[in-house]
Amino acid sequence: MTKVTGLRPFYMMKLYSSQTINDIKTRHDFRFAKSLGQNFLTDRNIIEKIVEGSGIGPDDFVIEIGPGIGVLTKEILDIGATVTAVEIDSRLIPILQETLSGYDKFNVINQDIMKTDLNGIAEANKDYANIRIIGNLPYYITTPIIMKILEDRVPAASVTCMMQKEVADRIKAPAGSKNAGAISLAVQYYCDVTQIARAPKEAFVPSPKVDSAVLRFDVLEKPRVEVPDTKVLFDCIRKGFGQRRKTISNSLVGAGGTAKEDIKKVLEETGIEGSRRAETLSLEEFAAISSAISEGGFNG
Ligand code: SAM
């Protein structure tokens, strides 16, 4: 039975309007949890841009991270796609069951996304045209969520995420540029990255302190560079950027368990100047270093 507020059922309403959100808050005695990064989208244009830019079609299966009260979810369901949403806050489950009650292609799992078996969900739904992941991510765990999706190798045709603008700028910064960080290289190892929208802080209730941007990740069929051991590559990237002011002959010490004198040998062998800093290295150079560590047995 479809529940109603006023005269109209929820599936006919603008879920994204501040008025609807306030009405839901009052009736459910719901308070935003800052600790869970709860900033709900209220701008129709931005919601449309995200969903359009994600490439979701009617025959797709979508995993949504943190549906909130369902503003993005509703837009995706209106395309005809099937959605499984993962929401940590149990107070939002009855709200979602109400706001999306007119949709039979919607299902919500009350769980922490970091503990969710995304590959299991993808495997159970592999007969859909594409698996796609989408989410207006909680700010406090943006990077861990993105890294989990990529490192778990979830077979998603695209991953579309809203995040703080500064984090998006860092992620899309090309390797070798000043703004590049460990996350930029790690993400670019697995995928192509495109910014598809920006959202000022006023586009949310409550308003966060910073503006946001939406990135779309298109996962490559195989990683951008070939290395014998991804863990050693990621350890080099993490160590290199962990102490970005140090030269790589110092910051890479311990990467993949490699001793200082062996890092020197690795750098000589690869022809990479030890006086450089991590932010000047390309992904290919990190790959060469990590391959030399693995192949030279320095990590044993
Ligand atoms: N999608 C909604 C929107 O755009 O209006 C809400 C986005 S809000 C920025 C982030 C959502 O993620 C909240 O609903 C929050 O409760 C949920 N969340 C926070 N931490 C989570 C976690 N670890 N696992 C799953 N959901 C989480």
Side-chain angles (χ1 to χ4, degrees):
M1 180 71 179
T2 305
K3 301 221 174 75
V4 293
T5 44
L7 294 172
R8 290 190 297 159
F10 268 109
Y11 63 84
M12 291 174 70
M13 286 179 64
K14 294 176 186 166
L15 269 189
Y16 55 85
S17 87
S18 310
Q19 200 190 329
T20 310
I21 295 176
N22 274 333
D23 171 53
I24 289 171
K25 274 184 72 192
T26 311
R27 282 186 306 100
H28 288 268
D29 195 18
F30 179 81
R31 270 160 234 249
F32 299 117
K34 214 173 164 190
S35 61
L36 293 177
Q38 289 179 345
N39 303 98
F40 298 157
L41 262 168
T42 54
D43 186 311
R44 168 147 194 108
N45 284 334
I46 294 169
I47 295 167
E48 271 178 3
K49 259 195 200 167
I50 300 173
V51 176
E52 256 177 56
S54 71
I56 293 170
D59 300 325
D60 289 349
F61 179 83
V62 178
I63 301 174
E64 189 192 359
I65 303 163
I69 66 153
V71 283
L72 267 179
T73 330
K74 182 177 184 304
E75 199 70 25
I76 300 165
L77 289 165
D78 281 339
I79 293 176
T82 303
V83 181
T84 283
V86 181
E87 173 56 63
I88 198 170
D89 189 345
S90 59
R91 300 170 309 155
L92 287 166
I93 307 304
I95 296 179
L96 283 163
Q97 279 158 354
E98 179 181 287
T99 56
L100 302 174
S101 63
Y103 296 92
D104 54 7
K105 288 179 163 182
F106 171 67
N107 170 42
V108 61
I109 304 174
N110 182 202
Q111 210 173 48
D112 180 348
I113 190 69
M114 295 306 292
K115 296 187 182 140
T116 302
D117 176 10
L118 294 174
N119 275 313
I121 299 176
E123 175 61 25
N125 295 284
K126 63 174 190 273
D127 292 338
Y128 284 86
N130 299 291
I131 307 271
R132 296 192 192 269
I133 301 181
I134 196 166
N136 171 10
L137 299 184
Y139 289 164
Y140 74 105
I141 45 168
T142 301
T143 304
I145 293 176
I146 294 170
M147 287 315 295
K148 173 185 162 65
I149 296 167
L150 298 177
E151 286 181 328
D152 285 1
R153 309 284 294 149
V154 184
S158 68
V159 180
T160 305
C161 299
M162 166 99 88
M163 64 199 76
Q164 284 186 30
K165 188 185 161 295
E166 284 68 22
V167 178
D169 286 346
R170 166 87 68 203
I171 290 178
K172 68 184 170 73
S177 72
K178 215 166 172 216
N179 208 9
I183 180 75
S184 342
L185 277 93
V187 164
Q188 287 159 31
Y189 172 70
Y190 287 116
C191 36
D192 285 330
V193 186
T194 330
Q195 181 164 315
I196 58 168
R198 291 183 62 169
K201 34 183 165 322
E202 298 76 29
F204 304 86
V205 283
S207 276
K209 287 203 178 74
V210 290
D211 293 340
S212 293
V214 183
L215 296 184
R216 172 173 160 159
F217 305 95
D218 287 281
V219 184
L220 300 167
E221 231 159 74
K222 52 183 190 142
R224 204 174 295 279
V225 291
E226 224 176 292
V227 288
D229 187 345
T230 311
K231 278 200 194 112
V232 177
L233 171 67
F234 277 35
D235 202 24
C236 289
I237 294 174
R238 253 188 302 265
K239 288 253 174 11
F241 285 99
Q243 297 172 298
R244 51 196 297 150
R245 280 172 188 219
K246 284 194 177 174
T247 63
I248 51 170
S249 58
N250 289 313
S251 63
L252 289 179
V253 173
T258 314
K260 190 171 171 79
E261 57 276 17
D262 291 334
I263 287 292
K264 210 173 151 213
K265 282 188 212 153
V266 163
L267 292 173
E268 269 164 21
E269 193 182 306
T270 52
I272 297 169
E273 208 42 70
S275 59
R276 289 172 63 188
R277 289 182 170 74
E279 71 220 40
T280 71
L281 260 56
S282 66
L283 186 57
E284 287 72 16
E285 287 173 315
F286 269 113
I289 292 170
S290 90
S291 298
I293 290 176
S294 302
E295 281 155 11
F298 297 124
N299 55 329

